[in-house]
């Protein structure tokens, strides 16, 4: 027993330091500013004359399978942000000033023209651009990149889906590319210009899965790949031959730290200039104005911005329980939003009802979320024919007991917390929910084959505008992303019309209509938008946080005097 | 002195056995020790005995406060919370969970405000069940195959020996990781089965070695001469004579299996949520290690595992000493 | 001797086949499909059908299972484990990156275990009347009862974080930009500690009981009677004769050490076989999972053979062909 007591003391000791200060002196230690609490960069973070030099160390929460942005397995969202711009460049890039609307600013293309029927796109390429291996950038490389995507032998299905209607691609000269489409599509121009990282024709020769550039990318951007220590870090250095304004930083280091707890501790020891994906619990814990938090409050700017993502719980509409929209509405009314917000999300995630970007016009502000109302939900379930059976108290209809299985991804911390809450709420009204834990691989394959009752996912993209055709159109049930098997002729018609509507304002009206219908049908139990929670050392300057992530080309480091040092 | 006498005279073994019995009792009685429903209550003239076990339909859907208010008699369980009861308690709390130990939650709560004590008591079920029943399966497999090999010799022995070598060579956690990670193994039964089917190598090796010594002895040869069948000889003559040393090993194997179960739980490969397990609490402890520093999530489940494993060791050592007083 | 060795090597063949077959079965018969995985789910993945068929054909996943096993075994014999389904690198390359790390960890842990267990066990056996060694053995028992991952996490908290003493690094094998041996040793302290201590209790007891047995033998009594100093009796005559069972124990504890590396490598972020296998399982990367398990088992098997060989060389009785074994 004595040994155990010693043990207890040892555990308590380090733990104590981080507990919020006792009551008497209310606030001892550094006070966080308003901007810091909100996660906004203060004005001084972008002032001063940029200086060249230094290394920026960024925490990366996952290691990509490879660095070939075209490959399905290497496309994952975090990596896109790291490479697009700094290493790989597209013909045009998303206009950051216009966000969240679609807009393009020239990059490897200097200009482009679209025909009036939206079927022909002529692109004029920038001259004098060279790849990191010294080769010149010409229309041959554009053709090779597009062909690599269109080649059905390559694992490029996710990008290829954007180019199925591309009828032909011609290259009249070294610096002109003409793309012809077989039918008009509202996002065709944007996708063609901004989603394809230009790779050199030479680097795409050979077996697509094992190209050398999958491990050591060759692009045209201001940073050039230097090394990749598997499981540890990726290093990029300033590229001397860059055609545009050179980057300020000498070196970019992406340190792979998957475990959030370890990442937090490394961050606290000052290992990262830019810390990403801070856990909500940590985000809140470092707000207390105590000495133990000085390192964060004084040494870092907190950065929080809204990304284009939303999480949802999907009810498989092929199952007898979930066919009826009234049942789905009842389930939404059983979701303990306030409790989740307080204890799981700690007030950080924002409840949503909308499949579009929160800050865009496409979400109809008049849609109000269903309230948490167990009594109302019970009434709705009765109305839909799911009556409580005598005896075991489980609802039943036509001899089917209301008992289903929730497919849970064991790697999601948030789900691990949310699911038990849901089990309790549903049990109270006579619905039994079992939980089955499967890893990501099985999880997705079961969603794609509609082999689930209920499951939860988050959709995310780096763009402000998204075409929800793949997600909600009834034709996308097989092969697409309509995992819940939603089928509504009205929504189908609207989604088709959106794809042919080139006027943004008209599109917004249609999208609002879709939003209203989807929420009324409760196609998903819409959960929340998750803001990015990051932090940068105070000496990091020129960070502009936006939907399109940070522009690392413009980042510079203030001379060491301003360094909070750790 | 018989082995049992010697065992009872062994002070450390006694302590170990007592702790173990206590833990087992806690696991068996978990529903009576920690539940949202009371031990006894009288509502509207109807008396309910042990509603925490029977979960009568009449009390379903009632919140504890409502039940308490309307009951004429209310005797709560020693730990008045269920293992899956989220944000349990009546105290007004202003910080988000996990809440540190206080007079309401003696061992604190986890990230969902679930009572740690209640989850520990119910978690004991998982740990002990997995530990005991998987080793029981190990024992059956190991004894039979080991003795069969010893008895039959020849090809049977060669095959079993290779099988044992395979199982003891493949690093345990790698095999389990692959099995559990790649297959959809997550229920209590499935986990037990996996551990039961993969960890019998050591026991079989021991049974075989002991069996080989016995086979050369006269009484076995005699029963063979009398025409007894293989099964009968193994069951009647070999098993009783090797059981002692094999049981000693089994006690340590239970301890090891409990450690493996908690490690798997910690790696996210254990029994599915919301089932309470000790390893799962430790995962939460890892997550909240420094922010906000929920030490109670690390200390108590860690202590429970250590207590169980430690007491099993004392029992195993005691068994060893009582069976072989010379050592 | 030659015959014994030949026989022992011959026995390795069915064991090797058994290991590979077990690995193959477990990994290849598992449900779920490697292609279906993309960890950050992004929108717009369509037209999967044909891609899947091609993917399967390209990786030989469309063949009947026995054919797949035979093909795989044939390649394994040439140390070719195929390509990773996750990042498409040759599995051999990934394994060779990770193996030395895990081997180093296991070797250091074994050495550390002996370094503590031998003096302790010998002392406990030679001077049973003294309390110190006995108490130490009991303390090791208590330590054994603590789960390794718990100790690892606590060690991180007290010794590595800024909230604790910050004496040791949190993660990895090297500080940024450092490659020195000192830096490596500094990073290895905590992981080796966490890998070692669960072995300590068993090891120390093993030493104690082996020593007790040896010290009870005739020749020890004879040596004592000849007036050989006690220290010499214990450390020279005694330990030398207890070395064989200890060696055998070392061989047997290898699979545990290697298995323990899964947890330790994961907590300390060390890119060894354990972490490799853990990630490969999450990615449903069969070739890597199979390669890692097979390679580790074979290395363990060879290490055990080595132990047997040394024992045989040292012990003339073992050189005779053993009947049943």
């Amino acid at each position: 027993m004595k040994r155990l007591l010693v043990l207890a003391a040892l555990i308590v000791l380090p733990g104590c330091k981080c507990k919020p200060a006792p009551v008497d002196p209310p606030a001892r230690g550094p006070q966080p500013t308003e901007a810091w609490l909100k996660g906004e960069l203060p004005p001084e973070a972008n002032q001063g004359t940029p200086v060249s030099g230094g290394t920026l160390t960024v925490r990366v929460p996952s290691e990509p399978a490879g660095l070939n942005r075209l490959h399905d397995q290497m496309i994952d969202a975090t990596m896109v942000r790291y490479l697009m711009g700094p290493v790989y460049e597209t013909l045009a890039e998303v206009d950051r000033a216009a966000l969240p609307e679609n807009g393009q600013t020239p990059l490897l293309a200097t200009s482009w023209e679209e025909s009036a029927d939206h079927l022909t796109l002529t692109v004029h390429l920038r001259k004098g651009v060279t790849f990191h291996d010294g080769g010149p950038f010409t229309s041959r490389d554009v053709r090779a990149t597009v062909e690599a995507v269109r080649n059905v032998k390559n694992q490029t299905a996710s990008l290829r889906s954007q180019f199925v209607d591309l009828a032909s691609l011609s290259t009249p000269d070294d610096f002109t590319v003409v793309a012809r489409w077989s039918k008009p599509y509202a996002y065709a121009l944007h996708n063609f210009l901004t989603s394809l990282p230009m790779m050199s024709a030479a680097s795409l020769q050979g077996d697509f899965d094992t190209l050398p550039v999958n491990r050591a990318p060759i692009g045209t951007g201001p940073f050039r790949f230097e090394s990749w220590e598997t499981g540890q870090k990726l290093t990029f250095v300033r590229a001397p031959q860059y055609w545009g304004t050179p980057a300020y930083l000498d070196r970019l280091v992406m340190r792979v730290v998957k475990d959030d707890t370890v990442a937090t501790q490394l961050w606290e020891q000052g290992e990262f200039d830019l810390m990403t994906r801070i856990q909500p619990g940590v985000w809140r814990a470092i707000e207390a104005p105590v000495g133990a938090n000085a390192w964060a409050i004084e040494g870092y700017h907190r950065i929080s911005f809204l990304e284009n993502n939303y999480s949802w719980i999907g009810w498989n509409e092929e199952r007898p329980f979930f066919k009826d929209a009234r049942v789905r509405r009842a389930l939404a009314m059983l979701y303990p939003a306030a409790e989740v917000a307080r204890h799981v999300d700690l007030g950080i995630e924002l409840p949503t009802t909308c499949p579009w970007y929160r800050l865009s016009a496409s979400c109809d502000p008049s849609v109000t979320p269903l309230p948490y109302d167990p009594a109302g939900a019970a009434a709705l379930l009765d109305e839909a024919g799911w009556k409580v059976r005598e005896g075991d108290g489980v609802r039943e209809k036509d001899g089917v007991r209301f008992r289903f299985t929730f497919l849970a991804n064991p790697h999601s911390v948030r789900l691990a917390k949310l699911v038990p809450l849901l089990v309790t709420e549903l049990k109270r009204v006579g619905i039994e929910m079992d939980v089955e834990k499967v890893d990501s691989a099985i999880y997705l394959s079961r969603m794609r084959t509609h082999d689930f009752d209920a499951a939860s996912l988050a959709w995310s993209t780096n763009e402000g505008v998204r075409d929800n055709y793949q997600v909600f159109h009834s034709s996308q049930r097989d092969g697409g992303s309509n995992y819940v098997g939603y089928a509504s002729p009205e929504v189908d018609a609207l989604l088709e019309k959106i794809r042919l509507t080139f006027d943004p304002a008209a599109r917004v009206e249609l999208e609002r209509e879709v939003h209203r219908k989807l929420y009324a049908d409760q196609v998903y139990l819409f959960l929340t938008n998750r803001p990015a929670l990051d932090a940068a050392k105070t000496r990091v300057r020129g960070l502009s946080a936006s939907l399109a992530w940070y522009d690392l080309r413009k980042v510079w480091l203030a001379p060491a005097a301003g360094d909070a040092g750790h | 002195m018989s082995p049992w006498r010697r065992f009872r005279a062994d002070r450390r073994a006694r302590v170990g056995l007592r702790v173990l019995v206590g833990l087992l009792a806690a696991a068996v009685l978990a529903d009576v020790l920690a539940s949202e429903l009371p031990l006894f209550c009288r509502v509207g003239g109807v008396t309910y005995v042990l509603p925490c076990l029977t979960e009568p339909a009449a009390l379903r859907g009632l919140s504890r406060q409502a039940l308490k208010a309307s009951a004429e008699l209310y005797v709560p369980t020693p730990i008045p919370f269920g293992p899956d009861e989220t944000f349990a308690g009546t105290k007004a709390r202003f910080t988000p969970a996990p809440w540190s130990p206080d007079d309401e939650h003696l061992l604190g709560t986890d990230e969902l405000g679930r009572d740690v004590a209640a989850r520990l008591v119910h978690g004991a079920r998982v740990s002990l069940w997995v530990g005991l029943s998987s080793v029981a399966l190990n024992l059956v497999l190991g004894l039979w195959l080991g003795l069969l090999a010893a008895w039959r010799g020849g090809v049977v022995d060669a095959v079993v020996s290779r099988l044992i070598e395979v199982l003891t060579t493949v690093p345990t956690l790698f095999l389990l990781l692959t099995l559990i990670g790649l297959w959809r193994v997550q229920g209590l039964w499935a986990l037990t089965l996996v551990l039961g089917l993969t960890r019998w190598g050591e026991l079989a090796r021991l049974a075989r070695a002991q069996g080989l010594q016995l086979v050369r002895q006269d009484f076995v040869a005699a029963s063979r001469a009398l025409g007894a069948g293989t099964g009968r000889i193994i069951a009647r003559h070999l098993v009783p004579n090797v059981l002692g040393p094999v049981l000693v090993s089994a006690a340590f194997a239970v301890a090891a299996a409990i450690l493996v179960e908690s490690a798997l739980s910690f790696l996210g490969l254990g029994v599915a949520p919301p089932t309470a397990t000790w390893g799962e609490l430790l995962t939460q402890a890892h997550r909240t290690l420094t922010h906000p520093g929920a030490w109670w999530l690390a200390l108590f489940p860690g202590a429970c595992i250590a207590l169980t494993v430690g007491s099993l060791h004392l029992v195993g050592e005691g068994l060893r000493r009582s069976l072989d007083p010379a050592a | 001797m030659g015959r014994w060795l030949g026989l022992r090597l011959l026995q390795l063949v069915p064991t090797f086949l058994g290991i590979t077959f077990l690995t193959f079965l477990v990994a290849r018969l598992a449900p779920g499909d490697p292609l279906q995985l993309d960890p950050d789910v992004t929108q717009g993945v369509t037209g999967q059908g044909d891609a899947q068929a091609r993917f399967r054909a390209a990786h030989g996943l469309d063949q009947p299972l026995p054919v797949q096993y035979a093909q795989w075994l044939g390649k394994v014999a040439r140390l070719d484990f195929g390509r990773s389904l996750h990042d498409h690198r040759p599995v051999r390359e990934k394994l060779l990156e990770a193996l030395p790390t895990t081997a180093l960890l296991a070797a250091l842990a074994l050495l550390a275990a002996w370094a503590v267990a031998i003096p302790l066990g010998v002392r406990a056996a030679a001077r049973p009347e003294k309390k110190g060694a006995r108490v130490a053995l009991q303390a090791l028992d208590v330590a054994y009862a603590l789960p390794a991952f718990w100790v690892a996490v606590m060690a991180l908290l007290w010794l590595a974080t800024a909230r604790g003493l910050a004496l040791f690094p949190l993660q990895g094998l090297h500080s940024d930009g450092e490659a020195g041996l000192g830096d490596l040793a500094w990073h290895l302290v905590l992981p080796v500690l966490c890998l070692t201590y669960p072995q300590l209790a068993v090891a120390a007891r093993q030493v104690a009981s082996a020593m007790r047995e040896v010290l009870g033998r005739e020749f020890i009594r004879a040596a004592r009677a000849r007036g050989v100093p006690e220290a010499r009796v214990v450390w020279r005559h005694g330990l030398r004769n207890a070395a064989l069972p200890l060696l055998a124990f070392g061989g047997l504890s290898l699979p545990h050490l290697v298995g323990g590396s899964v947890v330790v490598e994961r907590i300390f972020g060390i890119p060894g076989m354990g972490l490799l296998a853990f990630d490969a399982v999450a990615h449903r990367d069969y070739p890597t999972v199979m390669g890692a398990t097979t390679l580790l088992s074979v290395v363990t098997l060879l290490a055990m053979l080595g132990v047997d060989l040394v024992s045989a060389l040292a012990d003339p009785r073992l050189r005779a062909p053993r009947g049943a074994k």
Side-chain angles (χ1 to χ4, degrees):
Chain A
M1 201 57 217
K2 209 183 284 164
R3 265 192 293 268
L4 273 182
L5 285 179
V6 175
L7 228 76
L10 278 170
I11 299 167
V12 176
L13 275 177
C16 271
K17 279 201 225 161
C18 56
K19 279 169 92 179
V23 216
D24 329 305
R28 292 190 70 116
Q31 281 290 342
T33 62
E34 196 67 16
W36 192 89
L37 284 173
K38 275 196 203 151
E40 284 166 3
L41 283 165
E44 66 265 24
N46 287 313
Q47 283 164 0
T49 320
V51 287
S52 277
T55 300
L56 186 82
T57 306
V58 184
R59 182 255 172 147
V60 196
S62 68
E63 184 166 47
L67 297 173
N68 179 349
R69 166 70 173 88
L70 304 180
H71 197 291
D72 283 339
Q73 278 179 301
M74 310 177 188
I75 202 166
D76 83 67
T78 32
M79 196 206 67
V80 176
R81 295 159 162 172
Y82 304 146
L83 297 189
M84 300 290 272
V87 179
Y88 282 126
E89 290 182 309
T90 45
L91 292 174
E93 61 181 333
V94 176
D95 183 358
R96 286 168 177 266
L99 283 172
E101 296 305 315
N102 273 355
Q104 304 87 27
T105 51
L107 203 60
L108 289 180
T110 47
S111 64
W112 52 86
E113 303 103 39
E114 197 182 22
S115 64
D117 59 2
H118 302 294
L119 287 176
T120 308
L121 175 66
T122 309
V123 183
H124 304 284
L125 304 182
R126 192 176 295 278
K127 291 173 183 155
V129 175
T130 53
F131 283 100
H132 297 145
D133 65 354
F137 167 71
T138 66
S139 58
R140 273 190 304 281
D141 302 305
V142 180
R143 169 184 282 284
T145 304
V146 174
E147 273 170 4
V149 171
R150 301 244 295 161
N151 185 344
V152 287
K153 287 198 186 118
N154 294 346
Q155 273 198 72
T156 51
S158 47
L159 273 174
R160 191 156 62 234
S161 67
Q162 299 180 358
F163 296 91
V164 278
D165 295 330
L166 182 67
S168 73
L169 188 81
S170 55
T171 47
D173 62 57
D174 271 3
F175 298 100
T176 310
V177 176
V178 182
R180 289 194 184 77
W181 312 90
S182 55
K183 51 182 171 194
Y185 174 42
Y187 300 114
L189 176 139
H190 187 74
N191 287 347
F192 188 83
L193 292 175
T194 65
S195 71
L196 285 181
M198 288 301 143
M199 300 177 59
S200 80
S203 73
L204 286 166
Q205 301 279 322
D207 174 25
F208 191 69
D209 285 342
T210 54
L211 292 175
V213 285
N214 293 357
R215 300 289 301 173
I218 297 170
T220 57
F223 288 99
R224 164 174 77 71
F225 170 84
E226 188 183 64
S227 66
W228 179 355
E229 290 167 46
T230 313
Q232 308 286 307
K233 62 176 180 177
L234 292 88
T235 309
F236 300 88
V237 293
R238 196 194 294 120
Q241 92 303 335
Y242 186 55
W243 58 269
T245 322
Y248 300 118
L249 296 168
D250 287 342
R251 195 176 285 266
L252 258 179
V253 176
M254 309 280 182
R255 278 199 49 194
V256 180
V257 185
K258 294 179 196 166
D259 188 304
D260 290 318
T261 310
V262 172
T264 304
Q265 288 156 9
L266 288 170
W267 174 39
E268 193 169 343
Q269 294 185 354
E271 299 265 336
F272 307 123
D273 299 307
L274 182 58
M275 169 70 184
T276 61
R277 208 175 76 180
I278 298 169
Q279 292 302 291
V282 175
W283 184 263
R284 286 287 178 242
I286 55 174
E287 284 172 357
V290 292
N293 285 334
W295 63 274
I297 295 171
E298 286 165 358
Y300 286 84
H301 296 309
R302 290 210 308 188
I303 308 166
S304 169
F305 57 93
L306 257 183
E307 297 180 286
N308 189 0
N309 61 35
Y310 66 97
S311 51
W312 47 270
I313 293 174
W315 317 107
N316 187 347
E317 296 182 17
E318 282 166 31
R319 298 289 188 267
F321 332 106
F322 306 126
K323 276 202 180 100
D324 194 329
R326 281 175 297 185
V327 173
R328 303 198 295 268
R329 269 199 293 279
L331 289 167
M333 288 156 77
L334 289 168
Y335 178 73
E339 220 159 49
V340 173
R342 188 168 157 219
H343 290 284
V344 178
D345 296 337
L346 310 177
I348 288 168
E349 306 219 355
L350 306 163
T352 184
T353 61
C354 180
W356 273 284
Y357 185 48
R358 188 182 196 90
L359 302 180
S360 75
S362 307
C363 290
D364 186 338
S366 73
V367 175
T368 46
L370 290 167
Y372 170 68
D373 178 7
L380 258 179
L381 288 167
D382 284 337
E383 191 189 315
W386 292 94
K387 299 260 170 49
V388 179
R389 200 174 62 167
E390 288 302 310
D392 67 352
V394 176
R395 282 175 192 271
E396 156 180 311
K397 181 188 180 181
D398 306 332
V400 182
R401 278 161 59 85
F402 206 140
R403 176 175 188 163
F404 66 95
T405 304
F406 189 97
L407 209 57
N409 183 337
H411 302 297
S412 163
V413 173
R414 185 155 175 270
L415 263 189
K417 295 191 195 177
L418 206 150
V419 163
L421 293 178
L422 215 53
V423 171
T424 317
E425 290 295 334
L426 295 187
K427 198 173 175 189
R428 276 198 199 132
V429 298
I431 299 174
E432 298 255 311
M433 183 171 107
D434 301 318
V435 182
E436 189 183 350
K437 227 171 34 165
V438 295
D439 64 34
S440 328
I442 303 182
Y443 195 78
L444 279 173
S445 84
R446 288 187 58 184
M447 290 198 80
R448 286 192 186 128
T449 51
H450 309 279
D451 178 16
F452 70 100
D453 298 338
S456 178
L457 264 189
W459 291 134
S460 69
T461 140
N462 279 56
E463 311 233 305
V465 177
R466 82 164 90 212
D467 180 3
N468 269 315
Y469 183 86
Q470 279 104 337
V471 181
F472 299 117
H473 196 275
S474 60
S475 69
Q476 299 300 310
R477 212 195 141 274
D478 298 305
S481 307
N482 186 355
Y483 301 150
V484 293
Y486 178 68
S488 154
E490 293 159 75
V491 172
D492 280 1
L494 284 166
L495 289 170
E496 285 157 25
K497 205 166 164 197
I498 289 172
R499 285 165 77 92
L500 295 172
T501 307
F502 286 81
D503 170 25
R507 224 163 37 212
V508 161
E509 278 315 307
L510 295 169
E511 284 168 347
R512 287 187 169 203
E513 177 82 39
V514 172
H515 172 205
R516 287 191 293 271
K517 287 215 181 313
L518 288 178
Y519 195 73
D521 279 350
Q522 281 293 314
V523 55
Y524 293 152
L525 170 46
F526 286 93
L527 300 177
T528 54
N529 299 127
R530 188 223 300 256
L533 302 180
D534 300 340
K537 272 192 186 154
T538 48
R539 66 180 289 217
V540 179
R541 302 289 157 87
L543 275 176
S544 51
S546 82
L547 184 52
W549 212 51
Y550 308 101
D551 192 349
L552 295 178
R553 294 166 292 189
K554 304 219 169 73
V555 170
W556 53 283
L557 298 175
D563 188 2
H566 205 78
Chain B
M1 214 161 42
S2 75
W4 175 237
R5 275 268 181 84
R6 277 199 296 270
F7 185 81
R8 292 210 10 211
D10 190 329
R11 196 174 59 86
R12 296 180 61 202
R14 245 179 15 235
V15 171
L17 194 64
R18 274 188 201 146
V19 173
L20 201 60
V21 168
L23 284 163
L24 267 173
V28 172
L29 298 176
D31 283 328
V32 181
L33 288 174
S35 170
E36 349 182 10
L37 290 166
L39 280 176
F40 299 100
C41 66
R42 191 157 61 234
V43 184
V46 186
T47 308
Y48 297 93
V49 180
L50 292 179
C52 48
L53 276 182
T54 55
E55 299 191 17
L59 299 183
R60 194 188 303 274
L62 272 174
S63 73
R64 193 207 330 275
Q65 282 88 341
L67 185 64
K68 236 177 172 170
S70 63
E72 292 118 54
L73 175 73
Y74 190 93
V75 183
T77 50
I79 301 163
F81 301 100
D84 301 327
E85 206 182 342
T86 48
F87 310 115
T90 47
K91 258 189 166 169
R93 294 169 195 274
F94 303 102
T95 52
W99 298 317
S100 56
D102 57 19
D103 50 353
E104 186 166 37
H105 297 286
L106 292 177
L107 303 185
T109 75
D110 73 355
E111 291 171 300
L112 287 176
R114 295 177 290 198
D115 189 76
V116 168
R119 282 185 86 68
L120 284 179
V121 169
H122 284 259
R125 281 191 174 176
V126 176
S127 286
L128 289 173
W129 170 262
V130 170
L132 291 173
S133 46
S134 75
V135 171
L137 188 55
N138 290 160
L139 209 55
V140 171
L141 280 172
L143 266 179
W144 267 100
L145 287 173
L147 292 177
L148 192 71
W151 175 243
R152 281 291 190 75
V155 181
V156 177
D157 186 32
V159 170
V160 172
S161 295
R162 288 320 103 202
L163 214 56
I164 293 172
E165 200 166 75
V166 169
L167 279 184
T168 47
T169 309
V170 179
T172 324
L173 263 179
F174 273 76
L175 185 61
L176 292 174
L177 183 74
T178 317
L179 255 173
I180 295 171
L182 292 184
W183 294 66
R184 293 183 199 168
V185 175
Q186 51 198 341
L188 202 54
W189 282 99
L191 191 63
T192 308
L193 207 63
V194 166
L195 290 178
L197 289 178
T198 52
R199 294 173 53 88
W200 52 267
E202 293 292 344
L203 290 178
R205 192 201 296 275
L206 185 65
R208 179 179 167 277
Q210 298 274 328
L212 277 179
Q213 291 178 6
L214 282 177
V215 166
R216 296 195 197 101
Q217 288 178 18
D218 295 340
F219 73 99
V220 180
S223 56
R224 176 183 276 178
L226 287 172
T230 303
R232 198 181 153 80
I233 292 175
I234 291 181
R236 293 292 287 278
H237 298 294
L238 299 187
V239 170
N241 283 295
V242 302
L243 201 57
V246 173
L247 271 183
V248 173
S249 257
F252 295 112
V254 175
I258 286 173
L259 285 176
V260 167
E261 186 272 333
S262 68
L264 287 173
S265 236
F266 179 75
L267 291 173
L269 295 166
V271 181
T275 311
T277 69
W278 294 344
E280 188 264 346
L281 279 172
L282 285 169
T283 313
Q284 292 193 32
H286 186 217
R287 211 151 55 211
T288 56
L289 199 57
T290 53
H291 303 277
W295 54 268
W296 58 94
L297 285 178
L299 177 63
F300 302 124
C304 278
I305 296 175
L307 207 60
T308 316
V309 172
S311 63
L312 277 163
H313 261 250
L314 291 182
V315 170
E317 289 289 340
L319 276 176
R320 195 205 303 277
R321 276 193 297 269
S322 51
L323 285 167
D324 180 13
Chain C
M1 182 66 207
R3 208 180 135 204
W4 175 83
L5 187 63
L7 212 81
R8 192 73 189 82
L9 281 174
L10 209 65
Q11 279 175 354
L12 287 186
V13 175
T15 309
F16 172 74
L17 285 178
I19 290 170
T20 52
F21 190 63
L22 183 72
T23 319
F24 180 82
L25 272 189
V26 165
R28 277 302 294 124
L29 289 188
D33 196 301
L35 187 66
Q36 307 275 3
L37 184 104
D38 34 329
D40 283 49
V41 185
T42 38
Q43 243 177 292
V45 182
T46 49
Q48 288 276 345
D50 56 332
Q52 279 178 30
R54 257 192 307 280
F55 181 86
R56 289 224 173 78
H59 289 91
L61 301 180
D62 53 349
Q63 304 273 350
L65 275 179
V67 177
Q68 284 189 39
Y69 175 63
Q71 285 175 344
W72 179 69
L73 199 62
K75 283 188 185 160
V76 166
R78 281 172 274 134
L79 282 183
D80 174 6
F81 295 96
R83 280 185 185 281
S84 159
L85 298 185
H86 176 59
D87 60 12
H88 304 281
R89 296 171 65 206
V91 172
R92 179 171 45 184
E93 199 180 301
K94 297 177 76 160
L95 294 177
L96 289 182
E97 260 174 31
L99 184 65
T101 306
T102 300
L104 179 68
L105 269 179
L108 285 178
L110 197 59
L111 282 180
W114 286 142
V116 179
I118 290 180
L120 244 176
V122 168
R123 221 185 137 66
R127 313 286 292 279
E129 71 285 355
K130 294 256 169 143
K131 215 176 165 190
R134 219 173 55 227
V135 170
L137 279 183
Q138 282 168 14
L140 287 183
D141 276 346
V142 173
Y144 171 85
L146 297 168
F149 61 90
W150 189 86
V151 173
V153 167
M154 288 303 130
L156 272 181
L157 178 62
W158 303 326
L159 301 177
T161 63
R163 312 210 160 238
L165 297 171
L167 287 177
F168 294 101
L170 283 161
Q171 230 220 352
L173 284 179
H174 289 289
S175 312
D176 214 13
E178 292 244 3
L181 262 180
D183 186 58
L184 179 69
W186 183 50
H187 279 76
L188 280 173
V189 173
L190 290 184
V192 167
L193 185 82
C194 292
L195 213 48
T196 304
Y197 89 85
Q199 305 295 325
L200 276 181
V202 193
R205 291 208 175 272
Q206 196 82 22
V207 175
S209 79
M211 276 304 284
R212 239 179 257 133
E213 199 256 324
V214 171
L215 290 181
R217 283 203 209 141
E218 197 60 40
F219 74 93
I220 294 286
R221 248 174 284 158
R224 279 189 181 137
R226 280 202 314 273
V228 179
E230 182 64 18
R232 203 178 150 84
V233 169
V234 171
W235 292 100
R236 286 289 297 273
H237 297 81
L239 195 58
R240 185 183 284 174
N241 282 284
L244 282 180
L246 296 187
L247 205 61
F249 168 77
L252 284 177
S253 67
L254 260 182
H256 297 284
L257 284 176
V258 170
S261 69
V262 176
V263 172
V264 168
E265 285 175 9
R266 191 165 145 68
I267 292 174
F268 291 97
I270 293 170
M273 299 290 278
L275 202 56
L276 184 72
F278 189 85
D279 288 344
V281 166
H283 292 128
R284 290 210 112 49
D285 184 355
Y286 301 117
T288 308
V289 172
M290 285 147 81
T293 312
T294 308
L295 184 64
L296 272 185
S297 307
V298 170
V299 169
T300 313
L301 199 63
L302 291 178
M304 283 155 116
L305 174 75
V307 168
D308 273 8
L309 198 61
V310 174
S311 311
L313 285 175
D315 185 353
R317 284 170 304 171
L318 273 177
R319 275 180 233 166
R322 285 179 294 180
K325 179 110 195 197

